[in-house]
Amino acid sequence: MELQAVLMAAGGGSRMMDLTYNTPKPLLPVGNKPLIWYPLNLLERVGFEEVIVITTKEVQKMISTDPKVKLDVKMKLDLVCIQEDADMGTADALRHIQQKVKTDVLVVSCDLITDAALHEVVDLFRAHNATLSMLMSKAHEFTETVPGQKGKKKTGEQRDFVGVDGTGKRLLFMANEADLDEGVVIRKSIMRKHPRMHIKTGLVDAHLYCLKKSVVDFLADNKSISSIRGELVPYLVRKQFSKSTNSPKVIDETHQNLKKNDSNVNLEIQISSRDEELLHLTQERSCWNDHRGDMSDAYHGGRLRCYVHIMDEGICYRVNTLAAYIEANRLAPKLFDEPAVHPSAVVSERCLIGADSIIGASCQISDKTSIKRSTIGVSTTVREKVKVTNSIIMHGVTIEEGCNIQGSVICSNAVIGRGADIKYCLVGSAQRIEPDALPFETLLRPPCLRSTLTPTSTHRSTHTQCLFKQLNRNNTCLC
Amino acid sequence: MADCGEADGPVKKDDIVRAKNEGKELTKEEKQRLRKEKKHQKKQKDEKRPSERVKEKKPVAPSQPVATQPPTQKAPTVLPASAPIPVPVSGAPSYSSPAPSPADKPAKSRAEQKAERRARQEADRASKQQSCSSSSKTKAPPSELNPVVKRLPEHVQVDDPAVVKRLTKKFERQQIPLRSDYDYKVSLFSHLHQYSRKAPLTQQLSIPSTVIHPSIVRLGLQYSQGIVVGSNARSVALLHAFKQVIRDYTTPPNEELARDLVNKLKPYISFLNQCRPLSASMGNAIKYIKKEISNIPSQFKEEEAKTKLQTCIDRYINENVVLAAKAISKYAIEKISDGDVILVYGCSSLVNHILCEAYDKNRKFRVIVVDSRPRLEGREALRRLVQRGISCTYVLISALSYILPEVSKVFLGAHALLANGYVMSRVGTSQIALVARTFNVPVLVCCETYKFCERVQTDSFVSNELDDPDDLMVTRKGKTQLENWHDVSSLRLLNLVYDVTPPDFVDLVITDLGMIPCTSVPVVLRIKNLEQ
């Protein structure tokens, strides 16, 4: 077998707590399908037959019991549970399943929605015998207004600096702004080998990695690395140019140093493959070089190589913030061919449903409603004379007559009272909006979670009881 | 005259077709069959003579001068070194004798016709008995000489829809995706495949490839992207991949390793062929491997068989690539004297090896590297030679006649050596040889014997490889002139990979068996066949 797929679905969604406090992130509905369906569909389309899914017990329970969560995939899913409170990073999770990993792995994150041609990434991995191959995409500006934020730009989402060579495929440098003190520091060894480097900042990391098996074994010995994206990838990119990886003498010394548990040495042992001699002969006789202008051999004699495929066009989103979630809901229908209006939905004749809206199963849409550019979830009831524009309505919501919902996100099992006019709000799970309420750019959640809120949102939360009758523009609670 | 001519035409084509194919067993068989036929023709003649003595004297007389013509035409194309002259002569009377006989039919008696027919049938029956795989027609005499009608190889018949359909069916059966051609072909080469690098075959495969072994997929990618280039490198990489395949192979129950493994390799070979057409050296390596696998005795256990195959592969590579290179450099170094100016073309691994060895043995020479677009392989050769310390000059092929007065020898590598002595090598080699001949500069071709091939070719059109035409586009100062070449309906780009050099332009071929003239290639082939 060539590649094993590993899906990381244990993340908590820390950047969109408003949505994930009740529903775990992998099961958030996007276009009326759980978020985890998208990477699973991608893997299925490409031809994988088995996937190892690393997730929490809660998600596993919900997948097996909840009838609303239907995964519809033909692949065999091997669910591995980890403790939710163990605070495991992605690399820790890989270490956890080291026994199951028999060949090279393809690690995918559960919040990736993309239509990328995966064979491009895997071809780089195969053709150059690379240790790491990843997917990145040009970032798109999010144009939709995000509910709950008064149009303020999100504070310093840390930038990533990605350095690639002239062909745009070889990954030379990767650092996050948070790890850099004052400026970007590039080692002379890199510049000597690759004098022309293109540094890009506007790229989105799709968190899709092809890793060699030796890397997983290396992780097992090095317990200090806990995140793939944050620590492992920059480490591997740096290691490409380190002297110890490239010097041929290391192989002899490693047999003596095996007990020392030196991380550099361990990675080196595992990189060399069987039949090294024949491969070396092939490379010697082949008149190909990946660069020109200096006197060194192909790949500068380096054995650790990292490659990246940068997508120019196509959909590639990571649904880890609210803005991304909303954007993904807009674009998700393009990824699958199901009809916009589910056949089991009861839609009355006198309602206006726009072409880009999605109606979920078992919905009840009454007369004289207008639904434009919105997503209505499963088992939602929409009464008469309701106008829903640019919104996302999740499962089990009841919207009474005469409501006007614009640019909002209504989470599952909420109840919107009669005549409410909701603009750019986020209504949490199982909340009730009183009739004739007029919330504007607010987030509504039960108070018990105030302690776990992130600093930017604490001052926005409102107490459910003192809703909107006396709300001023600053959205602070007056009771 | 006329009917001998037209009998000649199809015969020649069939001979060329037959000789083109790789079946070495055919030539041996053919020789045997021809010898038997000679005997039967003589017997037939003796039988006919009493019945048609008078009539045949006249047709035989004019047929003799006619008969001498076809042998001289046929001999160089069929079996240059080994075919004895009597063979075609025995064939010729068989053409000419029925030709006058229909004209003389009313003159002959019934008994004579019957006897003639009986004799012909007997001869046919006898020839059928001798040849194991002949499908001779009883009516047409030319078929006695060519009982086996072999098909042209499929890769040179791409414009024939029936062949393409057959190929598609074969791939469906083997579960391999079909790589679609890049349709903007030059009409003269429309019978060859042309693929685009932007549409790799892996697009249609599932990612954890189950039908095709992962190391073969990797190899195919490396071929199509040009990471593994060069005849030697490709064969070594192929054998390395086969070693992995053999290592991961398990015999299914109720199957024999010898038969099943060969069947397993067939789809892999088709896959690799689609990624990039197989080279002659790869073809010979595959033949060797298949022979070795089929020769595994059935009492071997699986592990034993596998280790035996792995050692066979290692030995093959060692003998034919590594040791051959050593032997060739030993011979070649004798030819390099101090003060020489050596011209090389492109990047041949063998020639680079020779030059490096000669430099290590303290010969004083300098090298001129000639390069050509779009591959610009000469740069890699330049890098390797300069890295060793050899002083080099670099020119493009357009400056060849300018630089040749300085040159004392030309060393060329070869992709394959054909059975009629032609050298198949990177496109441009024939020009180098031509201009060098004009300047009276000796041309030496270095080639290992495992690249010798049974094919016969006299031009570069019939069988060649078409590379991606988009490689010809070059961007200078931000502008790509050929960017929209698809829109110009009268423009087509051609990117040929190989060309053939006639033996008249080559002075010496240095092989691991010694230094031979170009025309002795069939002799070497025959020796190798006898050895095996």
Side-chain angles (χ1 to χ4, degrees):
Chain A
M1 221 198 343
E2 191 187 357
L3 275 184
Q4 270 177 293
V6 175
L7 184 61
M8 300 282 184
S14 52
R15 274 179 282 185
M16 35 185 209
M17 283 309 289
D18 317 321
L19 292 172
T20 55
Y21 70 91
N22 212 12
T23 333
K25 187 170 88 160
L27 300 172
L28 273 181
V30 174
N32 289 338
K33 288 195 194 289
L35 184 55
I36 201 176
W37 181 87
Y38 289 90
L40 284 176
N41 185 37
L42 175 70
L43 291 173
E44 188 173 5
R45 258 186 294 137
V46 203
F48 277 96
E49 282 165 20
E50 286 186 357
V51 182
I52 300 175
V53 182
I54 302 180
T55 183
T56 57
K57 286 205 173 49
E58 197 189 332
V59 173
Q60 185 192 30
K61 210 167 39 161
M62 285 181 81
I63 289 179
S64 44
T65 56
D66 200 341
K68 279 199 293 244
V69 176
K70 273 178 301 186
L71 283 180
D72 287 345
V73 285
K74 296 191 196 66
M75 300 185 291
K76 197 172 78 112
L77 298 178
D78 182 6
L79 288 156
V80 173
C81 291
I82 56 171
Q83 299 285 50
E84 207 173 85
D85 49 357
D87 196 19
M88 285 177 103
T90 40
D92 295 325
L94 261 191
R95 197 177 298 128
H96 185 76
I97 56 161
Q98 195 221 350
Q99 300 303 321
K100 288 185 189 255
V101 169
K102 306 267 184 302
T103 68
D104 305 335
V105 285
L106 176 68
V107 177
V108 191
S109 170
C110 67
D111 54 10
L112 176 67
I113 298 183
T114 181
D115 63 350
L118 272 196
H119 74 90
E120 307 254 4
V121 178
V122 182
D123 279 351
L124 282 174
F125 184 69
R126 290 166 176 151
H128 298 276
N129 207 11
T131 311
L132 162 73
S133 170
M134 53 190 283
L135 176 69
M136 287 191 140
S137 167
K138 292 215 161 66
H140 302 277
E141 281 293 313
F142 293 142
T143 47
E144 304 284 338
T145 348
V146 179
Q149 288 174 16
K150 272 204 288 194
K152 194 170 96 170
K153 271 263 182 227
K154 37 191 189 308
T155 54
E157 183 87 18
Q158 301 277 324
R159 282 184 300 177
D160 272 328
F161 291 93
V162 178
V164 290
D165 75 341
T167 59
K169 299 280 176 194
R170 180 88 188 262
L171 189 55
L172 302 175
F173 178 77
M174 175 171 293
N176 191 288
E177 198 172 340
D179 300 327
L180 302 168
D181 293 326
E182 288 170 350
V184 173
V185 177
I186 300 180
R187 299 222 295 245
K188 232 201 254 178
S189 56
I190 306 179
M191 295 310 294
R192 227 180 278 131
K193 292 178 184 172
H194 298 270
R196 281 175 186 258
M197 190 186 333
H198 298 270
I199 299 192
K200 307 188 185 218
T201 49
L203 293 180
V204 164
D205 181 357
H207 207 287
L208 191 146
Y209 307 110
C210 278
L211 294 166
K212 266 203 146 60
K213 180 167 185 312
S214 52
V215 176
V216 181
D217 297 334
F218 163 74
L219 275 183
D221 295 328
N222 283 276
K223 305 213 192 302
S224 58
I225 298 185
S226 73
S227 157
I228 296 184
R229 174 69 185 86
E231 291 165 47
L232 183 63
V233 172
Y235 175 78
L236 289 175
V237 173
R238 269 199 317 271
K239 237 27 273 42
Q240 287 178 98
F241 302 105
S242 84
K243 286 201 196 105
S244 56
T245 324
N246 296 336
S247 66
K249 284 193 207 151
V250 185
I251 305 279
D252 299 320
E253 292 160 15
T254 52
H255 294 296
Q256 295 145 21
N257 290 349
L258 267 176
K259 301 266 167 87
K260 268 194 193 170
N261 221 13
D262 187 356
S263 57
N264 297 352
V265 163
N266 277 342
L267 189 56
E268 182 51 40
I269 302 172
Q270 286 135 11
I271 284 177
S272 56
S273 57
R274 297 180 277 197
D275 283 329
E276 177 79 14
E277 221 181 272
L278 277 187
L279 279 178
H280 183 71
L281 182 65
T282 309
Q283 206 170 34
E284 202 192 332
R285 295 302 169 113
S286 169
C287 56
W288 175 82
N289 207 324
D290 64 328
H291 64 279
R292 61 178 185 86
D294 66 356
M295 280 293 154
S296 38
D297 290 331
Y299 308 124
H300 299 277
R303 272 182 281 189
L304 211 171
R305 300 182 272 276
C306 300
Y307 284 86
V308 62
H309 172 69
I310 301 181
M311 277 170 67
D312 294 329
E313 27 182 55
I315 306 173
C316 179
Y317 288 103
R318 283 208 58 211
V319 181
N320 49 9
T321 57
L322 192 50
Y325 178 73
I326 294 175
E327 190 76 19
N329 260 299
R330 295 276 163 274
L331 294 167
K334 294 192 194 137
L335 283 176
F336 52 87
D337 304 312
E338 281 175 21
V341 178
H342 199 276
S344 69
V346 174
V347 179
S348 81
E349 286 158 5
R350 278 182 289 165
C351 60
L352 195 69
I353 300 186
D356 36 12
S357 300
I358 307 177
I359 314 286
S362 324
C363 277
Q364 279 185 323
I365 317 283
S366 314
D367 298 334
K368 297 190 197 149
T369 52
S370 148
I371 300 179
K372 290 189 191 136
R373 296 188 77 210
S374 303
T375 312
I376 313 280
V378 169
S379 314
T380 309
T381 313
V382 179
R383 295 266 143 79
E384 287 89 7
K385 295 196 197 129
V386 168
K387 251 180 82 171
V388 180
T389 327
N390 259 347
S391 302
I392 299 169
I393 316 240
M394 294 199 205
H395 312 302
V397 172
T398 311
I399 305 182
E400 304 285 344
E401 293 108 21
C403 288
N404 183 1
I405 303 178
Q406 206 173 331
S408 308
V409 177
I410 318 274
C411 294
S412 352
N413 304 318
V415 176
I416 314 291
R418 199 175 298 135
D421 191 359
I422 303 181
K423 291 200 174 77
Y424 305 113
C425 293
L426 188 145
V427 179
S429 203
Q431 291 302 296
R432 286 187 64 89
I433 306 288
E434 296 297 316
D436 300 316
L438 292 153
F440 185 79
E441 290 187 359
T442 43
L443 306 164
L444 299 111
R445 266 167 309 155
C448 56
L449 286 176
R450 212 174 281 156
S451 55
T452 58
L453 294 171
T454 54
T456 49
S457 51
T458 33
H459 64 280
R460 289 188 183 277
S461 74
T462 54
H463 204 286
T464 41
Q465 277 143 12
C466 59
L467 250 122
F468 312 124
K469 302 240 173 78
Q470 290 149 22
L471 208 52
N472 60 7
R473 271 280 157 160
N474 291 333
N475 296 326
T476 47
C477 177
L478 294 176
C479 65
Chain B
M1 264 314 207
D3 38 32
C4 264
E6 70 191 39
D8 231 9
V11 169
K12 249 202 252 179
K13 198 165 74 157
D14 286 335
D15 283 344
I16 291 173
V17 163
R18 212 185 333 128
K20 237 195 200 182
N21 292 308
E22 290 147 347
K24 57 180 190 265
E25 57 270 17
L26 258 186
T27 43
K28 241 199 251 174
E29 231 179 70
E30 195 193 330
K31 272 183 248 164
Q32 276 180 9
R33 196 172 46 247
L34 291 169
R35 268 184 227 125
K36 298 289 178 195
E37 252 147 33
K38 189 177 100 183
K39 271 193 217 160
H40 285 279
Q41 290 306 325
K42 274 200 177 156
K43 230 205 282 179
Q44 192 186 12
K45 240 199 219 171
D46 291 340
E47 275 184 52
K48 271 195 208 160
R49 206 160 284 156
S51 52
E52 296 178 354
R53 209 180 323 159
V54 179
K55 308 292 175 198
E56 263 211 334
K57 271 210 180 129
K58 283 207 206 120
V60 163
S63 77
Q64 282 310 329
V66 172
T68 52
Q69 243 191 26
T72 50
Q73 286 171 17
K74 270 192 276 184
T77 53
V78 178
L79 301 155
S82 51
I85 297 295
V87 171
V89 171
S90 67
S94 68
Y95 304 151
S96 50
S97 51
S101 53
D104 297 342
K105 234 179 188 161
K108 281 192 228 159
S109 67
R110 277 204 141 210
E112 286 168 8
Q113 283 172 31
K114 266 198 191 159
E116 190 191 323
R117 230 177 287 136
R118 216 184 300 125
R120 223 182 297 150
Q121 280 173 10
E122 264 182 32
D124 281 345
R125 217 178 294 132
S127 62
K128 255 197 203 163
Q129 275 174 10
Q130 254 88 59
S131 55
C132 339
S133 61
S134 69
S135 53
S136 52
K137 298 173 242 175
T138 47
K139 296 282 156 70
S143 70
E144 284 171 3
L145 204 50
N146 320 307
V148 180
V149 177
K150 270 282 196 175
R151 296 195 294 235
L152 270 176
E154 282 149 347
H155 67 271
V156 296
Q157 282 188 298
V158 174
D159 54 352
D160 185 355
V163 174
V164 172
K165 216 168 88 169
R166 215 177 334 151
L167 210 63
T168 338
K169 277 208 199 124
K170 181 172 106 165
F171 286 152
E172 263 175 43
R173 213 179 40 233
Q174 293 174 339
Q175 292 177 302
I176 296 175
L178 181 70
R179 192 176 185 189
S180 49
D181 275 11
Y182 190 17
D183 275 324
Y184 297 86
K185 281 191 229 179
V186 173
S187 52
L188 202 56
F189 290 92
S190 57
H191 61 286
L192 297 171
H193 280 294
Q194 180 174 284
Y195 298 121
S196 169
R197 206 155 289 152
K198 291 194 217 106
L201 198 47
T202 48
Q203 227 169 4
Q204 295 151 308
L205 282 179
S206 69
I207 281 190
S209 63
T210 40
V211 177
I212 300 177
H213 192 271
S215 58
I216 301 278
V217 176
R218 167 175 301 163
L219 188 65
L221 264 176
Q222 288 178 331
Y223 283 165
S224 61
Q225 290 182 8
I227 295 175
V228 176
V229 189
S231 199
N232 281 334
R234 284 166 75 188
S235 320
V236 173
L238 176 71
L239 290 171
H240 167 73
F242 277 173
K243 271 178 92 168
Q244 318 265 53
V245 169
I246 291 172
R247 190 184 302 136
D248 294 337
Y249 172 76
T250 44
T251 328
N254 306 330
E255 294 274 358
E256 246 192 69
L257 182 134
R259 269 193 288 264
D260 190 57
L261 188 53
V262 176
N263 288 340
K264 274 265 159 49
L265 290 181
K266 283 200 187 130
Y268 299 163
I269 294 166
S270 311
F271 173 78
L272 291 175
N273 207 2
Q274 286 208 92
C275 291
R276 195 177 159 192
L278 297 181
S279 67
S281 55
M282 285 166 72
N284 288 341
I286 290 173
K287 250 191 275 177
Y288 173 77
I289 274 278
K290 282 191 177 166
K291 196 170 74 89
E292 285 296 314
I293 295 175
S294 332
N295 285 346
I296 288 193
S298 46
Q299 60 264 28
F300 267 40
K301 282 199 286 274
E302 191 173 307
E303 281 311 312
E304 270 183 73
K306 284 200 216 178
T307 28
K308 176 167 184 286
L309 285 174
Q310 313 247 3
T311 42
C312 279
I313 292 179
D314 284 331
R315 202 184 61 224
Y316 183 82
I317 295 177
N318 194 29
E319 280 175 17
N320 286 303
V321 179
V322 180
L323 291 178
K326 280 205 191 124
I328 292 177
S329 9
K330 201 160 64 83
Y331 288 123
I333 287 173
E334 294 170 27
K335 293 289 178 188
I336 300 179
S337 30
D338 285 346
D340 259 346
V341 180
I342 298 177
L343 186 125
V344 297
Y345 178 63
C347 185
S348 164
S349 56
L350 188 55
V351 173
N352 292 344
H353 186 262
I354 291 172
L355 294 175
C356 295
E357 291 277 304
Y359 189 75
D360 288 340
K361 296 222 162 60
N362 297 321
R363 291 278 195 277
K364 306 275 177 288
F365 59 93
R366 68 183 178 91
V367 176
I368 299 180
V369 180
V370 177
D371 200 7
S372 69
R373 275 195 67 224
R375 288 179 173 239
L376 293 170
E377 288 172 334
R379 292 181 180 183
E380 183 59 21
L382 185 68
R383 179 189 74 81
R384 287 176 197 208
L385 295 175
V386 173
Q387 201 181 31
R388 283 304 195 103
I390 305 175
S391 59
C392 299
T393 311
Y394 176 86
V395 289
L396 286 182
I397 196 169
S398 37
L400 184 62
S401 47
Y402 170 77
I403 201 109
L404 255 172
E406 296 180 13
V407 174
S408 62
K409 298 190 175 66
V410 176
F411 271 81
L412 297 174
H415 171 258
L417 237 61
L418 306 174
N420 56 348
Y422 279 63
V423 178
M424 181 181 225
S425 185
R426 186 66 85 222
V427 64
T429 314
S430 59
Q431 298 310 298
I432 304 246
L434 174 67
V435 182
R437 164 64 89 209
T438 321
F439 279 85
N440 285 323
V441 173
V443 174
L444 294 91
V445 169
C446 310
C447 183
E448 297 96 335
T449 46
Y450 84 109
K451 290 185 194 165
F452 285 19
C453 161
E454 297 274 334
R455 268 188 10 217
V456 167
Q457 214 175 311
T458 52
D459 58 62
S460 320
F461 293 85
V462 163
S463 173
N464 207 326
E465 187 186 328
L466 291 178
D467 207 358
D468 190 353
D470 292 332
D471 287 349
L472 290 174
M473 295 201 283
V474 65
T475 307
R476 293 202 177 100
K477 293 186 186 164
K479 277 206 302 189
T480 315
Q481 302 287 14
L482 286 173
E483 204 163 0
N484 299 317
W485 67 275
H486 293 270
D487 302 335
V488 184
S489 57
S490 53
L491 177 65
R492 291 276 185 270
L493 299 184
L494 179 66
N495 190 354
L496 281 180
V497 182
Y498 299 116
D499 71 4
V500 285
T501 309
D504 333 339
F505 297 149
V506 176
D507 293 304
L508 193 66
V509 176
I510 308 180
T511 68
D512 43 323
L513 292 177
M515 300 194 267
I516 58 175
C518 228
T519 43
S520 307
V521 169
V523 179
V524 172
L525 278 170
R526 194 176 45 174
I527 294 176
K528 284 190 83 155
N529 290 346
L530 288 176
E531 269 174 24
Q532 284 168 10

